[in-house]
Amino acid sequence: MTRPLEVKVASLLLVGAALAFVGLGVARGDSGALTFPLLLGVIGVLAGASVFAGKFATPVLVFAGLAAVAHAAIALSPVPLWIRIGSGVLAAAHVYAAVLVLTRPARVFMGKVTGDQS
């Protein structure tokens, strides 16, 4: 079965957001503030690979929800404006990835629902 576009985009968003968050952590220049971005980045890459492989939809949704909340908290915290804007965009990317994983083509691909029920 070929991967639907929703699965490809969700996987790309999760991996891209993970790499972007690690990039934000590195650009901040504080080595002490790099632990959380690295941890979330590794889990994000694993979640993106999981979506691409068509496995483990529920943990990916939990991760995307928690990552969106974490990014929203960062966006509302007293950090430089460019980090707040970046975290806001990353929060939106995680929410959109979760929505894409919940679409019917992605759920059929992951085996959560049966095929064509028109």
Side-chain angles (χ1 to χ4, degrees):
M1 175 179 206
T2 170
R3 286 177 181 78
L5 180 62
E6 292 86 354
V7 169
K8 293 176 186 175
V9 172
S11 178
L12 182 66
L13 278 173
L14 289 168
V15 172
L19 296 177
F21 190 46
V22 171
L24 276 175
V26 169
R28 189 168 179 188
D30 182 14
S31 63
L34 194 58
T35 305
F36 183 65
L38 282 174
L39 177 68
L40 204 63
V42 168
I43 297 171
V45 168
L46 291 174
S50 175
V51 169
F52 194 74
K55 306 282 185 203
F56 310 117
T58 304
V60 168
L61 290 173
V62 170
F63 164 75
L66 292 175
V69 169
H71 285 299
I74 292 169
L76 294 173
S77 67
V79 293
L81 181 64
W82 62 275
I83 293 175
R84 292 169 49 185
I85 291 171
S87 286
V89 170
L90 293 175
H94 280 96
V95 170
Y96 188 55
V99 168
L100 288 174
V101 170
L102 288 172
T103 60
R104 181 159 185 81
R107 291 175 62 207
V108 168
F109 177 72
M110 291 184 181
K112 297 298 178 186
V113 295
T114 57
D116 196 24
Q117 297 177 357
S118 318

